[in-house]
Amino acid sequence: MEFLRNHQLNIMLFLSGVCAVLTVLAFFTKSLSKKRRLVVGHLEAFSSILLLADRFAYIYRGDPSVLGWWMVRVCNFLVFLLSLLMVFVFNQYIKDLVYNEGKAKHRLVRLQCVDILCAVGIFYLVFSQFTGIYYTFDEMNFYHRAKGFPLSYFFPLLGLLLQFSVTLQYSKRFSKYIRYPLLLFSLTPMVATIAQVFTYGLSLTNITIVGTSTLIYVFVIIDLDKTVEAAKRREIEFLKQEQKNMHIMFEQTAEALANAIDAKDKYTHGHSSRVAEYSKKIAALSGKSEQECEEVYFAGLLHDVGKIGVPSSIINKDGKLTDEEFAEIKKHPLIGSQILSSITKSPYLAVGALYHHERYGGRGYPHGLKGEDIPDIARIIAVADAYDAMSSKRSYRDPIPQQKVREEIVKGMDTQFDPKYAKLMLQLIDHDSDYHMKEHDELKELAGKNELDCRVLKETASEGIQITRGYTRIHLHSQTDERFLSESSIPYFVIFDSLDAHIHTNEKKAKDMLYLEFATIRGDGDTVCKEARKIQKTVETYKSVPRKELLAAYKDGIDYDIEAVKYEDHLMVTVTTEFLQIREIIALNDSAHYAYLGLTGENCLITNVDIKKLDMKADEDTIPRIAEKLSYINVPQGDVPNIQIDNWCTASTIGIPLENELDISFHTRSLPTARLVWHCPFISIFYSADRVFRGDKYMEFAVLRLDGENWESYEYVDNKIYVNKLEDFESWDKWKEKNKNGYDCTVNLKRIGNTVTMTTTNCGISIKSITTIQTSVPEILISITGDQCAITDIRYKS
């Protein structure tokens, strides 16, 4: 208190200056409403004048001069007057808050009473100047409290108390930055007034009122800033949502246009969407940004928009096109470019449409561009477009199997396709072990609905559902046509393998597609073993019914639940109905074959088909083994165990550290199921924390196939490969034949720093690769893996 008594004049001057500055700022704060700006401005102005008046009243007290006489009287009058005016102005501020932010529905009597109290208080203050009921001055010009002095505190304190009650009532409706200063303004002056009764000579009440009014301004600005910030956030979120909505609308419009184009050609349903997806994947693998990948996607989606201008009779012609008709077809890139060039904010759309039929060797159309003169985006689309065209059905042919499509893309490198993007397409094909990258059949009978109207067995059938280590569950409903009611008029489940994942009854087509039917399971448990090595069937009967009742159930309809899973060369299929449960364990010919389940039937309507792939995986204990595993590696091993690789990289040797130089020798032999060039050994250069191929913290630097092919490099590695055909190389068919017969191979690897050079010669092919690793790794590891081959007698020599 002594410190305050000694320094209160300086404190008053400082706070008065602060309030004067805040007065100016308040009147120029345009973000406040006009009414609130006036209220806050007056509050700060009155605070500044109040403190100056109180300060001068202290300075001139006891000064008997004329100036001192007037200053003491005028300043004391202003102190009492401005205290009431501040309570009045603050009351207007509370009204504005309560009726706006507080959403008060009716005029509050308490706040009206405060206005009246302030008016009565001012009347009594003026009255006291003539009667001396509040204070008096002696002959030495000193201020003295009179008997009626407590009355001067009654009006402002009662007003503050009423304001406090209102603020407390509506406080939860105000932000915390407004709530607490309001409560302080009402509460602290009351506490300070009580304290001032016992501390004569100190202006606790006035300093407290001014201090809290300053806080009000500060917190009003903070609250305003938070409100503006929140508004900006909402605006940004709104703009983001608008942008997202615009993107969705653009995407949906583009897809609708693409579907309209595809609908014009009965053989290209979904072509544009698939080309867009494949193009986007190629772009991502090539290291393009997310924005660039989006551009490639939409350019791919609309690449054939020019076909709108080509007559439908030409597009849907079953036979070979005449020269004149082909000339019409060749116009579609120009037409597409003209249509899309009007979308000036997305010029890449017109580029994709115009140049996607240019060939890397220069023999494309419409302009005959060559090499990198063809825009990047068009070179990507060209590969994706060709892949989908070959893997989809056309009027003059069925889909080409994926492996043959792959070979065609290899042949087209440097002539039809940019080698960079062709290799990335090959990488996608090699990773597509389940063959998802293809045109999926719709069921012709009901325009793509999940129904099959089956008459003759296998004549109508679903596309094959691939059975893998992950569980597959299928639900369907079957109803038998009462005109053909019999025990066999129910669904059949065909287990098979083929290049195109379809059931084939035509002998020539079955031979071309390497169709292999393992077994046919009828819905009542009757099973026919075809090419499977062995089948073990168990049937659990839930309800035994007479034949007549069973046929009636077939007519009314039966639900079937099928669960299928594959592990290595064994398959387990469980079929459940209300009458029985059939469990079939099927031993396939080997682990390399795929297994598909096709839905078909005889004189029945299959509906409500629902197919689900589960995350649950089979292991060696899931399916009881009923036949010995076929092994092609039961021969003495070398330095490490022999490996049999049934499918793409399904087995590998443990990683061997490469320090300086390493010679690897082994015997390789393609499996009986191998039929493609890349069914051969691969040499993997990699790093993993556990030294396992594709193990913990795996980083792949190169996967080098012994047919001389490799994938595109990752960002952290640079690969160069040189392949030469030697004099004893006859043909790739002979090369595959030699792999079938088996041969001894030696691979030499040398490391200098982070550069690895690999050389090998096999069956007339000389391969040299240089792998430069551009990142730091603890060690470089070498492993042997492959696809459909047996590797034996593996030996290492450092």
Side-chain angles (χ1 to χ4, degrees):
M1 286 296 179
E2 193 61 34
F3 174 82
L4 187 59
R5 194 182 300 277
N6 293 333
H7 296 282
Q8 72 170 339
L9 295 181
N10 294 329
I11 294 171
M12 287 178 182
L13 183 62
F14 171 75
L15 289 176
S16 177
V18 170
C19 290
V21 172
L22 295 181
T23 301
V24 176
L25 292 175
F27 281 113
F28 285 95
T29 305
K30 298 296 183 183
S31 50
L32 286 171
S33 67
K34 183 178 179 181
K35 183 176 182 181
R36 202 165 289 186
R37 190 163 64 242
L38 287 172
V39 169
V40 175
H42 279 96
L43 192 64
E44 299 304 326
F46 291 162
S47 297
S48 180
I49 297 169
L50 172 64
L51 287 178
L52 283 176
D54 204 8
R55 186 172 185 273
F56 283 123
Y58 275 101
I59 291 173
Y60 284 98
R61 68 178 177 173
D63 183 350
S65 66
V66 175
L67 178 62
W69 190 91
W70 281 104
M71 287 298 289
V72 168
R73 282 158 180 76
V74 171
C75 288
N76 275 286
F77 174 77
L78 286 174
V79 167
F80 283 91
L81 175 64
L82 290 169
S83 296
L84 288 165
L85 287 176
M86 286 183 68
V87 172
F88 175 78
V89 171
F90 183 62
N91 200 52
Q92 311 316 305
Y93 180 58
I94 292 177
K95 284 181 183 178
D96 186 55
L97 287 172
V98 168
Y99 297 141
N100 289 294
E101 279 87 338
K103 307 295 182 186
K105 296 180 180 179
H106 306 287
R107 295 293 172 184
L108 297 180
V109 175
R110 283 169 289 173
L111 295 182
Q112 292 175 331
C113 288
V114 173
D115 289 342
I116 295 170
L117 282 170
C118 290
V120 173
I122 291 171
F123 171 78
Y124 270 95
L125 175 62
V126 174
F127 181 71
S128 73
Q129 303 304 303
F130 302 100
T131 60
I133 59 173
Y134 282 0
Y135 54 81
T136 60
F137 300 95
D138 60 19
E139 64 277 4
M140 295 303 295
N141 207 24
F142 279 100
Y143 166 92
H144 296 282
R145 292 175 179 173
K147 290 182 179 180
F149 180 78
L151 188 62
S152 67
Y153 281 98
F154 171 77
F155 298 109
L157 284 179
L158 182 57
L160 289 170
L161 188 62
L162 291 172
Q163 289 171 347
F164 179 76
S165 68
V166 172
T167 304
L168 197 62
Q169 178 182 347
Y170 288 90
S171 61
K172 290 184 179 179
R173 302 185 187 183
F174 306 144
S175 75
K176 63 179 180 180
Y177 299 105
I178 296 297
R179 182 190 315 144
Y180 299 126
L182 289 182
L183 293 172
L184 284 172
F185 190 90
S186 301
L187 189 62
T188 53
M190 290 189 286
V191 176
T193 300
I194 295 170
Q196 188 159 334
V197 172
F198 303 100
T199 55
Y200 183 75
L202 286 177
S203 294
L204 291 178
T205 303
N206 293 338
I207 291 174
T208 303
I209 289 175
V210 171
T212 51
S213 71
T214 303
L215 280 177
I216 284 175
Y217 177 82
V218 172
F219 279 96
V220 163
I221 297 302
I222 291 173
D223 179 64
L224 187 63
D225 182 63
K226 295 292 182 184
T227 303
V228 171
E229 188 179 334
K232 283 183 177 178
R233 280 200 303 269
R234 287 195 297 271
E235 185 177 3
I236 290 169
E237 286 301 317
F238 174 78
L239 290 173
K240 283 183 178 178
Q241 187 61 42
E242 281 293 297
Q243 188 177 22
K244 184 179 178 181
N245 291 340
M246 288 294 291
H247 184 275
I248 291 170
M249 187 166 66
F250 176 73
E251 185 175 1
Q252 290 175 344
T253 303
E255 285 176 353
L257 184 55
N259 289 336
I261 299 159
D262 291 347
K264 192 171 183 180
D265 185 346
K266 62 185 179 181
Y267 289 103
T268 61
H269 180 73
H271 168 72
S272 297
S273 297
R274 291 191 298 275
V275 169
E277 287 293 340
Y278 304 155
S279 298
K280 185 177 181 180
K281 289 178 180 180
I282 293 170
L285 283 176
S286 70
K288 293 191 181 299
S289 67
E290 186 175 344
Q291 176 64 30
E292 289 172 322
C293 290
E294 282 285 296
E295 291 178 358
V296 170
Y297 175 84
F298 286 114
L301 195 62
L302 298 176
H303 75 285
D304 269 344
V305 71
K307 286 186 177 178
I308 288 175
V310 180
S312 298
S313 58
I314 296 176
I315 290 176
N316 290 305
K317 185 176 178 181
D318 289 335
K320 186 178 178 181
L321 298 177
T322 65
D323 291 343
E324 292 77 13
E325 289 169 336
F326 187 59
E328 286 296 314
I329 286 284
K330 288 171 71 174
K331 290 179 182 177
H332 83 270
L334 288 168
I335 297 170
S337 175
Q338 290 168 4
I339 292 170
L340 297 173
S341 60
S342 60
I343 308 176
T344 54
K345 289 192 175 182
S346 304
Y348 55 87
L349 297 176
V351 171
L354 181 60
Y355 297 111
H356 72 277
H357 277 295
E358 299 288 355
R359 291 196 170 194
Y360 198 72
R363 301 186 66 181
Y365 62 87
H367 299 310
L369 299 183
K370 184 177 181 181
E372 295 192 1
D373 291 340
I374 305 168
D376 202 45
I377 202 166
R379 282 179 275 147
I380 293 173
I381 294 170
V383 181
D385 187 31
Y387 172 84
D388 188 68
M390 288 187 282
S391 61
S392 302
K393 187 174 183 178
R394 290 293 181 264
S395 59
Y396 50 88
R397 61 158 172 81
D398 286 330
I400 300 172
Q402 192 180 37
Q403 295 88 341
K404 292 186 178 180
V405 173
R406 190 187 192 284
E407 291 181 349
E408 289 301 316
I409 290 174
V410 172
K411 290 176 185 177
M413 286 184 185
D414 288 315
T415 55
Q416 185 174 352
F417 311 120
D418 182 336
K420 174 184 176 182
Y421 297 126
K423 284 185 178 181
L424 293 175
M425 188 72 241
L426 297 178
Q427 186 172 338
L428 290 175
I429 294 171
D430 293 342
H431 270 150
D432 186 29
S433 58
D434 293 342
Y435 197 11
H436 292 302
M437 291 170 52
K438 63 177 176 179
E439 176 186 30
H440 291 273
D441 281 353
E442 290 185 342
L443 305 179
K444 295 179 294 183
E445 290 71 27
L446 288 161
K449 297 180 181 178
N450 59 343
E451 300 180 352
L452 282 170
D453 191 358
C454 304
R455 297 299 173 191
V456 179
L457 182 64
K458 298 181 186 177
E459 188 175 280
T460 302
S462 73
E463 183 179 333
I465 303 159
Q466 188 175 9
I467 308 304
T468 63
R469 280 187 63 192
Y471 281 75
T472 300
R473 285 182 182 163
I474 307 165
H475 173 83
L476 60 88
H477 181 80
S478 171
Q479 192 171 8
T480 301
D481 189 333
E482 62 179 331
R483 295 174 299 168
F484 307 102
L485 204 57
S486 70
E487 289 90 341
S488 63
S489 299
I490 53 175
Y492 286 68
F493 312 108
V494 181
I495 310 300
F496 69 96
D497 184 19
S498 74
L499 293 180
D500 63 350
H502 285 76
I503 295 171
H504 294 288
T505 54
N506 179 276
E507 187 176 339
K508 184 179 183 304
K509 192 62 181 290
K511 184 178 179 181
D512 290 343
M513 294 295 110
L514 302 179
Y515 180 71
L516 190 65
E517 191 171 305
F518 301 114
T520 300
I521 305 168
R522 201 164 74 178
D524 61 358
D526 186 28
T527 303
V528 178
C529 179
K530 297 289 187 71
E531 300 296 331
R533 286 189 288 156
K534 188 177 180 180
I535 291 181
Q536 184 182 91
K537 179 177 71 174
T538 56
V539 179
E540 181 180 353
T541 302
Y542 295 150
K543 183 167 62 174
S544 183
V545 294
R547 179 179 182 274
K548 185 177 180 181
E549 188 176 332
L550 183 64
L551 293 179
Y554 287 173
K555 177 187 170 185
D556 294 337
I558 295 178
D559 287 330
Y560 291 82
D561 288 290
I562 304 101
E563 183 179 85
V565 67
K566 178 178 181 285
Y567 184 78
E568 293 183 345
D569 58 346
H570 275 51
L571 186 79
M572 183 165 68
V573 180
T574 305
V575 180
T576 305
T577 69
E578 61 181 292
F579 300 109
L580 50 76
Q581 183 181 78
I582 312 152
R583 177 161 293 168
E584 307 269 3
I585 297 176
I586 304 169
L588 306 178
N589 301 38
D590 49 54
S591 301
H593 272 104
Y594 285 0
Y596 296 97
L597 188 151
L599 304 178
T600 183
E602 188 175 301
N603 295 318
C604 64
L605 178 66
I606 297 173
T607 61
N608 300 334
V609 178
D610 181 48
I611 303 168
K612 291 180 180 177
K613 295 284 187 179
L614 307 185
D615 293 332
M616 187 168 54
K617 302 285 186 183
D619 57 30
E620 59 185 3
D621 298 323
T622 303
I623 307 174
R625 183 165 283 280
I626 60 173
E628 290 295 319
K629 181 179 179 180
L630 292 175
S631 175
Y632 300 95
I633 56 174
N634 288 333
V635 295
Q637 71 177 49
D639 297 331
V640 295
N642 302 329
I643 55 171
Q644 180 172 314
I645 311 158
D646 294 315
N647 279 299
W648 184 271
C649 299
T650 52
S652 61
T653 61
I654 194 72
I656 300 296
L658 176 61
E659 295 177 355
N660 296 308
E661 186 171 0
L662 181 67
D663 284 321
I664 308 175
S665 63
F666 52 87
H667 183 81
T668 176
R669 181 184 176 188
S670 297
L671 299 182
T673 52
R675 58 187 179 275
L676 303 168
V677 171
W678 65 87
H679 290 160
C680 65
F682 309 163
I683 304 298
S684 174
I685 304 172
F686 69 101
Y687 166 75
S688 71
D690 54 6
R691 293 187 174 179
V692 173
F693 176 67
R694 295 184 178 170
D696 183 35
K697 298 179 181 177
Y698 179 73
M699 294 179 70
E700 186 174 283
F701 307 127
V703 176
L704 305 161
R705 299 196 331 222
L706 294 196
D707 63 346
E709 201 174 299
N710 77 311
W711 288 349
E712 281 297 302
S713 304
Y714 294 94
E715 293 179 0
Y716 50 78
V717 66
D718 178 59
N719 278 313
K720 292 182 174 62
I721 187 164
Y722 308 93
V723 181
N724 291 310
K725 295 176 182 177
L726 305 178
E727 290 182 1
D728 57 342
F729 179 81
E730 299 176 63
S731 67
W732 283 113
D733 286 336
K734 289 290 184 182
W735 190 89
K736 289 190 287 185
E737 186 180 325
K738 289 178 181 179
N739 275 266
K740 283 272 191 179
N741 295 330
Y743 64 90
D744 293 326
C745 180
T746 301
V747 179
N748 174 263
L749 296 115
K750 292 181 181 178
R751 174 183 176 182
I752 300 175
N754 270 11
T755 298
V756 178
T757 302
M758 186 203 83
T759 55
T760 185
T761 301
N762 69 87
C763 305
I765 296 292
S766 173
I767 304 169
K768 179 180 180 180
S769 73
I770 301 173
T771 300
T772 303
I773 301 165
Q774 299 166 346
T775 187
S776 178
V777 288
E779 60 182 354
I780 298 173
L781 301 170
I782 308 298
S783 175
I784 305 173
T785 181
D787 189 4
Q788 295 202 32
C789 58
I791 312 292
T792 57
D793 194 25
I794 305 165
R795 299 185 185 276
Y796 299 105
K797 182 180 178 182
S798 299

